[in-house]
Amino acid sequence: MRAAVVREPGSVDAIEIVEVPTPVPGPGEVRVRVAAAGVNPVDLQTREGVFHRLGWINQTEYVGLGWDLAGTVTAVGSGVEFVVGDLVAGLSAGVDRALGAYAEEAVIPAAAAALIPEGLSLTDSATVPLNGLTAAQAVALLGTANGSLLITGAAGGVGGYAVALATRAGWRVTGLARHSDREFVLSAGAVDLITEPVGRFDAVLDAAVLADIAVGLVRDDGKYVGVIPPAVPDGRGRVETSAVNVTADGAALAHLLSDTATGLLSARVSATLPLDQASGAHKTLAAGGQRGRLLLIP
Ligand SMILES: NC(=O)c1ccc[n+]([C@@H]2O[C@H](COP(=O)([O-])OP(=O)(O)OC[C@H]3O[C@@H](n4cnc5c(N)ncnc54)[C@H](OP(=O)(O)O)[C@@H]3O)[C@@H](O)[C@H]2O)c1
């Protein structure tokens, strides 16, 4: 089967399409024929070598790319309830692995997958796992809803879900995004949109990684939740700071997919591209301004 991998991190040209043996699922794992794989900032960071520099990569030949996937189960390991033919979405989590979701077939823990509900397409489903779970887990880190919440990057992958989920949790959400994002951010549930980081909030969920600037917008004794665990800004004894580190959760993913099927959450696809255009997809995402996920179709 074909997969997109990185041998030597670097520019978008570092992405290579290789022919590799089809992986075999072990106990508790499923193999999925990937219908669509999401292109996310973490894939750009992996390809650029961010995690190599942190010493997190221990692969001998290459690292695989891609966390988000949707497709058809083609094989199951022992102890798995999914059956061949099931349509699932799932999270291929982690940066230190030879193969990820950018592949014709991907093996993931069954606990990281969920059945796709009726009415939701494979492409729409592939946009949900990473950003939906990150947003849900970041909102959970904020604790009980307690007044006003600023979500930076409110029109992005994580931020878009976070606006809807935090609103539903009872926060009064303001979104920081571009002027052109007003309709989306307000329709997701925000009461206001700002385009510059100003104001005072009970909490901030910093999906745009404004870091110290965002901490500065939190009231004394408020909360800051970031999205970059190795770089949590200092709250200087004034603000409680933490960062989400997404973990796979098939049960939570099932809820997110169901909410997407019913329209409570929006599935946003910006474009679909063949797997061998992964380099071009990275270039497009790096340029900014994407709304909705780019998807690779192996
Ligand atoms: N820790 C974890 O578990 C985890 C999991 C998933 C993602 N992440 C991280 O979360 C971050 C966001 O990911 P994502 O997928 O949501 O990225 P994304 O889709 O690119 O969204 C980021 C959004 O922030 C906006 N933005 C950036 N600076 C802004 C500013 N000054 N004012 C207004 N809007 C601004 C961008 O707008 P423009 O496009 O117009 O610039 C974009 O809409 C990434 O760093 C990613 O690596 C972490």
Side-chain angles (χ1 to χ4, degrees):
M1 67 154 201
R2 289 154 61 248
V5 301
V6 168
R7 262 179 233 282
E8 289 295 331
S11 75
V12 297
D13 298 327
I15 302 175
E16 195 182 323
I17 306 293
V18 290
E19 190 72 39
V20 295
T22 303
V24 177
E29 293 181 329
V30 286
R31 189 177 69 213
V32 180
R33 182 179 307 125
V34 179
V39 179
N40 284 285
V42 65
D43 305 328
L44 275 61
Q45 293 152 12
T46 306
R47 186 260 300 154
E48 286 163 355
V50 170
F51 305 112
H52 292 76
R53 291 192 287 278
L54 285 168
W56 293 2
I57 305 292
N58 289 301
Q59 298 301 311
T60 49
E61 280 194 68
Y62 46 70
V63 287
L65 297 169
W67 288 54
D68 275 330
L69 63 85
T72 309
V73 173
T74 54
V76 296
S78 57
V80 168
E81 287 182 9
F82 294 110
V83 296
V84 170
D86 278 346
L87 298 183
V88 295
L91 192 70
S92 175
V95 290
D96 185 22
R97 61 328 182 12
L99 294 171
Y102 290 15
E104 287 178 317
E105 303 254 354
V107 167
I108 60 172
L115 286 173
I116 294 175
E118 207 151 306
L120 195 62
S121 70
L122 285 162
T123 44
D124 282 352
S125 302
T127 66
V128 177
L130 177 60
N131 299 300
L133 288 169
T134 302
Q137 292 167 16
V139 171
L141 272 181
L142 289 164
T144 307
N146 179 24
S148 62
L149 170 67
L150 174 68
I151 297 179
T152 71
V158 172
Y161 286 114
V163 170
L165 295 172
T167 300
R168 200 197 304 172
W171 290 96
R172 195 169 67 255
V173 174
T174 295
L176 172 68
R178 312 295 180 192
H179 278 295
S180 50
D181 295 317
R182 169 168 288 277
E183 193 182 328
F184 168 75
V185 172
L186 297 185
S187 71
V191 293
D192 197 8
L193 175 121
I194 56 174
T195 56
E196 294 297 330
V198 291
R200 208 71 167 161
F201 301 89
D202 294 309
V204 173
L205 195 168
D206 190 18
V209 197
L210 302 187
D212 290 339
I213 293 173
V215 173
L217 304 179
V218 183
R219 68 153 165 83
D220 289 353
D221 299 324
K223 282 192 181 175
Y224 168 97
V225 172
V227 292
I228 309 289
V232 181
D234 188 350
R236 299 180 193 285
R238 199 182 65 74
V239 172
E240 182 187 324
T241 62
S242 62
V244 64
N245 195 1
V246 69
T247 54
D249 183 339
L253 177 57
H255 285 293
L256 292 163
L257 291 166
S258 162
D259 286 346
T260 310
T262 57
L264 278 170
L265 297 174
S266 338
R268 295 179 296 156
V269 175
S270 76
T272 56
L273 300 159
L275 180 65
D276 60 10
Q277 288 181 27
S279 298
H282 275 218
K283 202 171 179 178
T284 303
L285 181 58
Q290 287 298 303
R291 293 298 180 266
R293 275 294 74 114
L294 292 158
L295 296 176
L296 295 174
I297 311 296

